[in-house]
Amino acid sequence: MTKELDNEQILRVVASFFGYVMFSHVWQGKEPSFQDVNLVKSVWNLPDTLLNEKLRSFCKEVRRLGHNWAWSDTCCIDKTTSSILNWSLTSMYKWYADSAATLVFLADVVHPSKLGDLTNSSWMTRAWTLQELLAPKVMFFYDSEWQPYLDDTGANHKGSLAIIQELADAMKIPRRTIVTFSVDNFSERERLRLASTRNATIEEDVAYSLIGIFESNIRPYYGEGADALGHLLEEILDRSGEITVLAW
């Protein structure tokens, strides 16, 4: 066996052991926080509530898929520490891009799901969805009972023609863009057009959810309101040197 093959095997073993899975979902109320989990030391020790069970179901599915590490924005970020929160927001796109997989929970899609249910889900229009859809290489979509969307048990829903075409039609972008997106193959104007269809319950998230997609250097600061989007657009304009980039 050659040294190159040995190295490849080592890399596969390391990737298998340390690979992590990201969670994409719509917040439904008082989700379990970093402090909640830290207090009881494990998600399995959390009280039996609907939202705690959602987190546990995510962890169970991660384990079933053969992975050892799971990450959820609800409880893996200490949001009481501004430096950690800001670092997390600016790193989020890379975390999704480098993940072994991203699991999408569609709480408002009943089982059995059918074509079109995903398009009508509230997950589709939230601000953070854009990067959570475009960044990962592997994705799985689940209905409200944690069953695969459209009963698709394939190895990667980004390889599902039906699911990706549904997303492409809803977002009005080419199917291949969802599968192979990179910041280099989508113009700033096109990225701004995609972002314009997003909704956010927190005003600043309209901008902060785009930090990775635009490779932005803006510093998150909750409390700046609409100025957050202004800072992002100002940076994009300075970088492009073309005011027409804003005519998306």
Side-chain angles (χ1 to χ4, degrees):
M1 185 176 291
T2 66
K3 183 177 180 180
E4 288 75 14
L5 287 177
D6 285 340
N7 289 339
E8 288 178 7
Q9 288 180 328
I10 292 171
L11 287 173
R12 280 198 297 270
V13 170
V14 170
S16 174
F17 183 80
F18 290 103
Y20 59 91
V21 177
M22 301 288 282
F23 194 22
S24 177
H25 64 113
V26 176
W27 283 37
Q28 298 172 271
K30 191 183 183 303
E31 302 276 354
S33 68
F34 174 86
Q35 285 72 27
D36 292 334
V37 176
N38 196 44
L39 182 64
V40 298
K41 306 305 180 186
S42 170
V43 298
W44 312 111
N45 297 331
L46 289 168
D48 292 330
T49 68
L50 184 63
L51 297 183
N52 288 344
E53 185 55 34
K54 178 174 75 169
L55 177 62
R56 284 195 286 261
S57 294
F58 163 61
C59 292
K60 290 175 185 176
E61 184 62 14
V62 170
R63 181 179 291 173
R64 189 191 71 79
L65 291 171
H67 299 286
N68 298 308
W69 305 96
W71 189 97
S72 173
D73 57 349
T74 60
C75 64
C76 291
I77 302 174
D78 183 358
K79 301 174 186 66
T80 64
T81 305
S82 59
S83 59
I84 293 177
L85 177 60
N86 290 350
W87 174 67
S88 299
L89 292 175
T90 56
S91 303
M92 200 76 70
Y93 182 91
K94 180 173 173 52
W95 290 350
Y96 277 96
D98 292 342
S99 67
T102 290
L103 308 191
V104 179
F105 178 61
L106 308 167
D108 49 3
V109 172
V110 299
H111 181 75
S113 56
K114 60 183 183 298
L115 195 63
D117 286 346
L118 195 162
T119 301
N120 296 319
S121 171
S122 57
W123 177 85
M124 277 293 299
T125 58
R126 58 191 274 276
W128 294 98
T129 290
L130 191 59
Q131 71 169 2
E132 293 167 15
L133 172 65
L134 298 180
K137 299 176 182 66
V138 178
M139 296 189 75
F140 297 99
F141 295 85
Y142 299 86
D143 63 28
S144 59
E145 295 186 16
W146 280 96
Q147 296 302 307
Y149 183 64
L150 302 182
D151 290 322
D152 187 323
T153 57
N156 181 3
H157 283 173
K158 278 204 169 183
S160 166
L161 178 60
I163 294 175
I164 297 305
Q165 189 62 60
E166 182 178 345
L167 288 166
D169 291 343
M171 300 179 73
K172 297 179 173 55
I173 59 176
R175 189 175 66 245
R176 56 176 161 61
T177 298
I178 297 175
V179 179
T180 62
F181 176 84
S182 75
V183 295
D184 297 325
N185 65 17
F186 232 49
S187 71
E188 289 173 325
R189 181 187 294 180
E190 288 171 319
R191 281 175 272 164
L192 282 170
R193 181 183 62 78
L194 282 178
S196 69
T197 64
R198 307 291 92 199
N199 296 324
T201 54
I202 300 175
E203 191 172 21
E204 292 88 345
D205 283 345
V206 173
Y208 300 161
S209 63
L210 300 173
I211 287 175
I213 286 178
F214 285 99
E215 299 181 307
S216 171
N217 292 314
I218 65 171
R219 290 290 189 183
Y221 172 66
Y222 282 103
E224 63 178 336
D227 287 345
L229 182 59
H231 294 152
L232 177 65
L233 294 176
E234 181 180 14
E235 182 187 78
I236 292 171
L237 184 58
D238 287 345
R239 192 164 55 199
S240 69
E242 294 284 343
I243 196 169
T244 56
V245 73
L246 301 181
W248 69 86

